[in-house]
Amino acid sequence: MKIRIKFLDHDIEVKNDSVFSVECENKIYFYRIVGLFNSLANGNIDEAIEVYEQEKEVDCSNKVEVIIDYFNFDFSSKKYQTKLADMLNRVIDAEDVNRLNNEFKKIQKIVERNLGKLDLPLIFQKDFELDNFLKLLKLSIKGNKSLLDNLLLIIDIEKIFHLNYFYIFINLKSYLSSAEINELYKYALYNQVAILLLDNDTYGTCLDNEHKVIIDENLNEFMI
């Protein structure tokens, strides 16, 4: 995918076989660039940013994820719970569905006995629906203490769920070593998950599998 930001000279290329990194020393420009991607992630289209796939414009609104907070990963979000419930629904066999249905009937009887204690005309759903039952369980994904492990987990989730076109990591190089960044790159490329890094500082030459554009304080751009 090619991303064209109207106030930048170079296109940003997001691929499955390499990682693109934007290192911007100019804080005003950096804020504008992050803001554009954040708007895109929240479903708001800004004329200053365009995304193309083989020269055909693509609507990526709500289909990219911007990750800024590396201390509070939300692995129990509703979108993950819904996906997990759908996947579990597809793999549970008929015998286990019957077992769950029998247990559900026992729960119904307990609830029904207690309805009379409430002075209200109450009814409840009596038919067992596996999808609704699984959603009640509020399935979630267990995170890790290590930042790198959580990032690798994000790659695993995307590989399975296919939720986004690509992921944008903000100032990630401030938190990880070059070796850890390289490990993230290799894992993302191996699993065919496209990622983009945006940093408000410069970090020298390219890492393995990395292409980058550097924007200095005076807004000069250098592709390396």
Side-chain angles (χ1 to χ4, degrees):
M1 283 184 156
K2 284 188 178 180
I3 302 164
R4 293 172 185 162
I5 295 177
K6 293 188 176 179
F7 53 84
L8 296 183
D9 296 333
H10 294 86
D11 289 344
I12 295 171
E13 294 195 58
V14 180
K15 302 178 179 180
N16 289 331
D17 60 358
S18 64
V19 176
F20 202 95
S21 173
V22 178
E23 297 177 354
C24 180
E25 294 180 324
N26 186 286
K27 296 189 187 318
I28 294 175
Y29 258 44
F30 180 74
Y31 183 79
R32 289 178 67 188
I33 294 168
V34 173
L36 288 175
F37 282 109
N38 193 57
S39 293
L40 197 62
N42 290 320
N44 302 315
I45 299 174
D46 192 302
E47 293 181 355
I49 185 170
E50 298 171 343
V51 182
Y52 292 87
E53 180 74 56
Q54 297 180 345
E55 298 306 318
K56 181 180 179 181
E57 190 166 6
V58 177
D59 180 7
C60 286
S61 55
N62 286 317
K63 293 293 289 180
V64 300
E65 178 128 357
V66 176
I67 300 176
I68 297 176
D69 185 355
Y70 299 107
F71 300 94
N72 298 289
F73 290 97
D74 187 8
F75 292 122
S76 60
S77 66
K78 187 176 180 180
K79 63 180 178 180
Y80 290 161
Q81 290 178 357
T82 300
K83 277 284 188 179
L84 287 168
D86 289 343
M87 293 178 69
L88 191 56
N89 194 352
R90 291 196 295 268
V91 299
I92 292 181
D93 59 36
E95 188 176 345
D96 283 335
V97 172
N98 286 331
R99 289 195 185 100
L100 289 171
N101 188 17
N102 291 333
E103 295 301 319
F104 181 73
K105 288 177 180 177
K106 294 177 185 177
I107 295 171
Q108 279 184 322
K109 290 179 181 178
I110 295 172
V111 172
E112 203 163 14
R113 283 201 304 268
N114 286 276
L115 285 181
K117 299 175 183 179
L118 304 176
D119 191 20
L120 290 169
L122 299 174
I123 59 173
F124 63 94
Q125 181 177 320
K126 294 189 176 182
D127 295 329
F128 176 73
E129 294 182 6
L130 180 60
D131 185 52
N132 289 337
F133 178 77
L134 293 176
K135 287 177 181 177
L136 286 174
L137 296 178
K138 294 185 178 180
L139 298 165
S140 63
I141 299 166
K142 184 178 179 182
N144 300 285
K145 292 183 178 180
S146 160
L147 171 56
L148 179 59
D149 287 342
N150 279 324
L151 297 173
L152 299 181
L153 180 56
I154 287 172
I155 302 299
D156 287 334
I157 292 169
E158 178 58 30
K159 177 184 66 174
I160 295 169
F161 290 170
H162 303 293
L163 295 170
N164 297 290
Y165 285 117
F166 56 91
Y167 286 74
I168 305 108
F169 297 102
I170 309 300
N171 281 330
L172 182 58
K173 291 177 181 177
S174 298
Y175 296 94
L176 296 181
S177 66
S178 295
E180 290 172 320
I181 293 287
N182 269 324
E183 186 174 346
L184 174 65
Y185 286 1
K186 289 178 183 178
Y187 199 73
L189 297 178
Y190 177 79
N191 289 289
Q192 296 288 287
V193 175
I195 63 175
L196 167 67
L197 272 69
L198 304 179
D199 285 272
N200 189 214
D201 202 350
T202 53
Y203 291 87
T205 57
C206 291
L207 299 174
D208 295 340
N209 304 303
E210 181 184 63
H211 299 286
K212 73 166 71 174
V213 61
I214 295 174
I215 305 168
D216 69 17
E217 186 64 44
N218 298 315
L219 304 180
N220 299 305
E221 294 184 27
F222 307 92
M223 179 74 78
I224 61 173

